[in-house]
Amino acid sequence: MGSETPIRPFVKWAGGKRRHADQIVDVISKEGFKHYFEPFLGGGAVFLSLQPPKAYLSDYNPELINAYNVIKSDRYKDLIDIIENDFKPQHSEGFYYELRSWDRSDKIKEEDDVRRAARFIYLNKTCYNGIYRVNSKQEFNVPYGKKKVVPRIIDSSNIERMHKYFKDADATFKAQDYKEIKSHVRKGDLVYFDPPYDVEKDANGFTSYTNNGFSRENQKELKELADALIERGATVVISNSHTTLIDNLYNLKPDSRRNPYRIVETFNTKRTIGSTLASRREFEEILIVGKKGGSGSR
């Protein structure tokens, strides 16, 4: 698994794992698996570092998955050409908002998959802080980034390597809810979950900025899915923050016995969730492995 030439994520993604990808890949590689699943794909830093021969990748974001599928397709060179020779020469605040407006009309439905993918990548690289956010109407609503220099929007050599790997490997990309993988996972498979993180309540009980459409009830549902996959004989690897809820949910106590879940790595990370000081906090991230015969927290 993996290659001598690294493949990097082609988009910036909130909660991305670039910094810790090597350590997570080391854990996953030691566990071993038949088929790799990652249902909160995002920028795919772990998947692209691991480069498994068989992978089922999914995300709830259809524009993101469309971009992956275009890179896998024989039209990936058209994607590079559109960005380099059509979009980049027009780079400006006005052009940014023109592209952003596509999902406020029927224009995005009229464009083919390649131009939609080019728009998605351009907006990601030129928007404020690389955030992907939509409003209640599912319209992309992040403002222009106002960078002083024209950013490098696409790395053509990286896209070439990505395309070759996607074609050589058995890599499937689906736009769907994370629970949909349940019907595909079998004994001997491994699932890496990287959901929106839980965050400990502060003195004021403030947690609204952490929701991102993934509530504490969703965290509990994810745990139930992980339990079912372990019972089936799969291994699950989960990234999350080390909060009281997560500790209790996965029974991550030092004296836990016969618990399939154990903490294998801990990271201290500062996450910038928003633009205010209140939204910038340091978290203890943990990497949990769950499988039959687990020996509890270390």
Side-chain angles (χ1 to χ4, degrees):
M1 290 175 282
S3 68
E4 292 183 3
T5 304
I7 301 175
R8 297 179 301 278
F10 64 95
V11 288
K12 182 179 179 183
W13 211 252
K17 292 296 178 290
R18 292 194 198 200
R19 287 181 58 193
H20 305 311
D22 288 346
Q23 290 156 287
I24 297 171
V25 165
D26 190 44
V27 168
I28 291 173
S29 298
K30 287 176 181 176
E31 291 298 330
F33 55 87
K34 292 179 181 178
H35 201 151
Y36 176 80
F37 291 78
E38 189 172 338
F40 295 93
L41 182 57
V46 171
F47 158 63
L48 294 172
S49 294
L50 183 66
Q51 292 184 41
K54 291 185 177 181
Y56 189 99
L57 301 316
S58 56
D59 197 283
Y60 196 69
N61 187 319
E63 294 304 309
L64 172 68
I65 294 300
N66 175 65
Y68 276 108
N69 277 318
V70 167
I71 292 170
K72 181 181 177 180
S73 78
D74 293 334
R75 295 196 63 193
Y76 76 98
K77 290 184 178 179
D78 294 337
L79 171 68
I80 297 170
D81 182 66
I82 290 169
I83 291 175
E84 291 287 7
N85 300 315
D86 186 358
F87 288 4
K88 194 171 180 179
Q90 299 186 70
H91 177 67
S92 65
E93 186 170 356
F95 181 66
Y96 173 88
Y97 284 110
E98 179 185 332
L99 286 186
R100 200 186 76 162
S101 70
W102 282 15
D103 58 13
R104 288 158 173 75
S105 66
D106 289 333
K107 185 167 178 58
I108 197 165
K109 298 177 183 178
E110 297 167 358
E111 297 291 343
D112 69 7
D113 290 346
V114 182
R115 288 187 69 83
R116 277 177 47 214
R119 169 188 180 267
F120 175 81
I121 294 171
Y122 176 87
L123 292 179
N124 177 266
K125 294 291 185 170
T126 58
C127 72
Y128 176 74
N129 209 26
I131 298 169
Y132 188 90
R133 184 187 67 206
V134 294
N135 59 24
S136 59
K137 297 179 181 179
Q138 298 303 302
E139 298 166 344
F140 184 71
N141 66 350
V142 182
Y144 179 62
K146 297 185 179 179
K147 295 179 173 64
K148 293 182 179 179
V149 296
V150 178
R152 187 178 191 183
I153 298 168
I154 194 165
D155 180 343
S156 58
S157 61
N158 187 59
I159 295 295
E160 290 265 5
R161 291 193 297 273
M162 198 175 293
H163 167 76
K164 185 177 186 306
Y165 163 58
F166 291 172
K167 294 292 284 188
D168 290 345
D170 181 5
T172 299
F173 299 95
K174 293 285 187 180
Q176 61 187 23
D177 182 82
Y178 75 92
K179 295 176 186 175
E180 296 298 319
I181 66 163
K182 187 175 182 180
S183 61
H184 300 279
V185 178
R186 299 288 181 266
K187 181 179 180 180
D189 293 340
L190 184 143
V191 183
Y192 173 52
F193 289 112
D194 184 23
Y197 281 10
D198 182 57
V199 174
E200 204 79 79
K201 290 183 179 181
D202 65 13
N204 298 316
F206 179 69
T207 59
S208 63
Y209 72 89
T210 70
N211 288 341
N212 296 319
F214 205 82
S215 66
R216 288 192 155 185
E217 188 58 38
N218 293 138
Q219 297 285 357
K220 294 173 184 177
E221 291 171 352
L222 174 59
K223 163 61 163 53
E224 291 171 1
L225 174 59
D227 288 346
L229 297 179
I230 290 171
E231 186 61 31
R232 190 175 293 177
T235 298
V236 299
V237 178
I238 307 162
S239 290
N240 215 312
S241 50
H242 199 184
T243 64
T244 302
L245 174 75
I246 299 302
D247 238 6
N248 292 336
L249 200 56
Y250 292 92
N251 196 23
L252 301 172
K253 306 301 180 185
D255 59 349
S256 295
R257 294 293 181 266
R258 290 180 292 185
N259 177 24
Y261 300 98
R262 70 188 192 280
I263 298 173
V264 295
E265 291 286 351
T266 302
F267 313 107
N268 288 317
T269 304
K270 184 170 287 187
R271 289 287 186 203
T272 303
I273 300 172
S275 59
T276 65
L277 289 175
S279 67
R280 298 172 185 172
R281 302 189 177 191
E282 190 166 285
F283 298 94
E284 184 176 77
E285 296 185 31
I286 53 176
L287 190 67
I288 304 166
V289 170
K291 62 182 179 180
K292 280 187 175 181
S295 56
S297 293
R298 70 177 188 183

